[in-house]
Amino acid sequence: MPLLSPSSPSSGTSLIENVSMEVTSHSHRLEKDINVLFRTALHAKRSPRPLLSASFGQLLVDILKHHLPALLERTRKFANQASCNTLIGHLSAACSASHENKVGAEEIKGRCRRARCLYIMQHEWAVVGPGDKIDYIVSDDATTCHLVGIREPCTGVVGLAHVDAVEVVPDLVAVEDAVQKESMLRSESHAGNALGGFRRPTEPLTLDLFLVGGYEGDSEGGLLTAAILQHFQSTSVHKYNLQLALVSSLNTCTLPSVFSSPSMTPSVPAPLCRSLGFVIEPPRNPAAAAPSKASGSCDLFGAHVLTGDVPESLRGPMRTLRALRLWGRGSRRLVQVRLAHSPGEAGVAAFDQEEIANSSRCSRPQPKSCPSFSCPPSAPSASNSEVSIVINPFRFRCSEDIKALACLEDEALKLETSTSPAIESPSFVSDIRAVLKMNQTAFPEDFFGPRVSQPLLVPLHAVEAATLLTAESKGGEERRGNRRINVT
């Protein structure tokens, strides 16, 4: 289906036929250009030279300029404001607004007091919506990875995936289907009210699509960009409006090289934005409510879109164990992060038995980048009043490769485990070492029972916003490594 339908013709004797022909023609031309883009990315991957990578970025911009000029302008505007569209900024704005006598102040005040954030790690995806007791869904630390957001604007249901390889792009079908299913259920349950009253039940779903990831000069990310665009343009059966495409040259800045010296400070290309998140809230009726002017987030067609680093206290839970799936014999497919509101719901979020059976035959995939994590090899039990995530069982064991990696020096370890070693976050190496240590010292039976068949239920605690804002103001600059960013 077309990523974005063109405007309808203003006149004509057969309006329906003219619209159909124009959309079909537009779709075919765009599909052809995206196929050319994919071949260019594949060529750049096989012969990674700067000129080829640069030609890919320019070709992408030319395609957007020709087919989707409004999207190109919107993406560039969003990129210029990326440093302001942060989770911390949104929390700060909510706290400020809670002191004013405005409509909805109680709801804002509640979010100011506490925040429950669902963090999506590499190789994971999740779908949430209003009523799931989740305030934010976010993912970050994407360099060559891509973050794919899918939102149904009439119900506010959001799907977010952290895609780390071309091979898992077909898994986005599961995300699309889950967003559609949740949206249809909410539309039927809340027909006529704020959660489902903006679309008639007979109207087809049109989903909003948001892409963030990759940067110019990165052949890995360029191929992934092209593969994702090709999927949504040619393979997906759903209809999409592409609202954001912060990828390739549109998502490029420069950072000081790790080889910088006092006399010379060379720079390297890097992603301007490494994160994507959404505020989970009921949709606003576009005919009755004006877009929000609050700082800390960007309003794209009713969606509060967030960027910026995710605070350490919200990047969990059980990050080391979840990251271990990339190193153990975990699933080759993208892993769904399911929610449970009570221990009894863990059975409803049934895990894939075939995935566990196949895990013993899967070789260790090479991780692109590991988010920050640090947690003990144990988890507290969930209570009935908490939202929890369900971690499905998977097997892992220490191998000679793992032992060899653990013995490497920091720089050598970074070169072995990252596709973008020059621009990884300061905590990258320590994160990797935490996973390697767990792999060497823990056993799957410690988490999933003696038969490695029991899902692990981990509480997703709400964090006090005031404490979070104070801690971030003190340690945020240190966590970001005091990096200087120049937009290209």
Side-chain angles (χ1 to χ4, degrees):
M1 299 298 291
L3 294 173
L4 188 64
S5 300
S7 301
S8 302
S10 57
S11 61
T13 56
S14 180
L15 181 61
I16 296 179
E17 291 182 4
N18 286 344
V19 171
S20 177
M21 291 175 60
E22 183 176 348
V23 170
T24 302
S25 176
H26 169 83
S27 177
H28 286 170
R29 291 195 303 269
L30 182 56
E31 182 176 353
K32 181 179 178 180
D33 286 347
I34 289 178
N35 289 337
V36 173
L37 185 71
F38 184 83
R39 290 194 295 270
T40 302
L42 190 60
H43 186 32
K45 167 66 176 174
R46 292 171 176 172
S47 304
R49 292 179 296 179
L51 288 178
L52 286 175
S53 299
S55 66
F56 171 85
Q58 185 58 51
L59 178 58
L60 174 63
V61 171
D62 291 342
I63 290 174
L64 296 181
K65 185 182 298 184
H66 178 70
H67 293 283
L68 307 170
L71 167 69
L72 181 60
E73 180 181 355
R74 185 163 62 245
T75 297
R76 284 173 168 165
K77 182 179 179 181
F78 183 90
N80 291 332
Q81 301 173 349
S83 61
C84 302
N85 304 326
T86 65
L87 177 57
I88 289 297
H90 190 270
L91 280 170
S92 299
C95 287
S96 299
S98 66
H99 299 293
E100 301 178 11
N101 185 18
K102 291 184 176 181
V103 176
E106 287 301 318
E107 178 183 351
I108 295 175
K109 189 175 181 179
R111 179 173 290 132
C112 176
R113 287 195 301 266
R114 58 193 181 278
R116 184 175 279 115
C117 175
L118 180 58
Y119 183 73
I120 305 303
M121 298 181 63
Q122 181 185 343
H123 207 71
E124 292 183 342
W125 67 273
V127 172
V128 295
D132 286 335
K133 298 181 181 179
I134 298 296
D135 298 303
Y136 305 95
I137 181 172
V138 295
S139 186
D140 69 354
D141 271 0
T143 54
T144 58
C145 287
H146 280 49
L147 307 176
V148 181
I150 301 173
R151 183 177 184 270
E152 205 287 303
C154 296
T155 58
V157 172
V158 174
L160 182 61
H162 193 130
V163 182
D164 53 1
V166 173
E167 291 75 20
V168 299
V169 169
D171 296 346
L172 291 172
V173 171
V175 188
E176 301 172 65
D177 292 344
V179 171
Q180 183 186 41
K181 179 181 178 180
E182 286 296 318
S183 300
M184 296 300 293
L185 289 174
R186 291 165 192 266
S187 295
E188 294 171 359
S189 301
H190 302 280
N193 64 22
L195 286 178
F198 308 146
R199 179 180 57 82
R200 296 184 178 88
T202 56
E203 294 178 355
L205 285 176
T206 298
L207 306 176
D208 289 340
L209 178 63
F210 306 82
L211 301 179
V212 172
Y215 56 97
E216 190 169 49
D218 162 35
S219 59
E220 293 278 351
L223 185 59
L224 188 52
T225 296
I228 292 174
L229 289 174
Q230 191 178 58
H231 168 81
F232 285 106
Q233 175 63 27
S234 307
T235 306
S236 177
V237 299
H238 301 282
K239 185 177 180 181
Y240 285 91
N241 287 334
L242 183 54
Q243 306 291 14
L244 182 66
L246 196 53
V247 295
S248 189
S249 58
L250 299 173
N251 189 38
T252 302
C253 66
T254 58
L255 291 177
S257 171
V258 293
F259 306 106
S260 298
S261 63
S263 60
M264 181 178 63
T265 55
S267 59
V268 294
L272 172 67
C273 181
R274 305 178 185 220
S275 60
L276 178 64
F278 297 86
V279 181
I280 305 303
E281 58 187 358
R284 300 181 304 277
N285 190 333
S292 173
K293 301 297 183 181
S295 61
S297 67
C298 181
D299 194 297
L300 292 178
F301 293 88
H304 281 162
V305 183
L306 303 168
T307 59
D309 294 333
V310 178
E312 181 68 20
S313 57
L314 297 181
R315 307 175 82 206
M318 295 296 286
R319 291 167 292 172
T320 306
L321 179 63
R322 290 159 65 185
L324 189 55
R325 278 181 296 224
L326 293 175
W327 299 80
R329 292 178 290 182
S331 174
R332 291 179 180 271
R333 297 174 294 179
L334 290 179
V335 177
Q336 182 180 4
V337 179
R338 292 183 171 92
L339 296 178
H341 293 85
S342 68
E345 292 186 21
V348 178
F351 54 90
D352 192 337
Q353 293 285 358
E354 181 183 357
E355 175 181 315
I356 297 175
N358 289 339
S359 68
S360 61
R361 300 192 294 270
C362 292
S363 59
R364 176 177 64 87
Q366 290 293 334
K368 191 277 323 160
S369 171
C370 289
S372 176
F373 36 69
S374 59
C375 61
S378 62
S381 59
S383 67
N384 292 333
S385 61
E386 293 175 321
V387 177
S388 302
I389 67 167
V390 181
I391 302 179
N392 292 334
F394 65 93
R395 297 184 180 275
F396 60 89
R397 63 180 177 83
C398 186
S399 65
E400 293 302 319
D401 290 341
I402 295 296
K403 294 178 181 178
L405 285 173
C407 295
L408 294 177
E409 296 293 334
D410 289 355
E411 287 303 318
L413 179 61
K414 187 186 296 185
L415 290 172
E416 285 291 328
T417 57
S418 173
T419 56
S420 53
I423 58 172
E424 292 293 355
S425 64
S427 62
F428 178 82
V429 172
S430 61
D431 297 341
I432 293 292
R433 293 202 183 279
V435 177
L436 298 179
K437 181 178 179 180
M438 177 176 284
N439 190 293
Q440 293 176 296
T441 59
F443 299 93
E445 292 81 2
D446 298 336
F447 306 99
F448 309 117
R451 296 186 179 181
V452 193
S453 60
Q454 181 64 41
L456 181 64
L457 205 62
V458 188
L460 188 64
H461 296 292
V463 177
E464 292 296 327
T467 304
L468 174 64
L469 293 174
T470 302
E472 183 67 12
S473 63
K474 292 180 179 179
E477 191 64 27
E478 179 181 352
R479 181 168 59 85
R480 286 185 286 271
N482 296 312
R483 294 176 295 183
R484 186 184 73 250
I485 297 179
N486 299 316
V487 180
T488 58

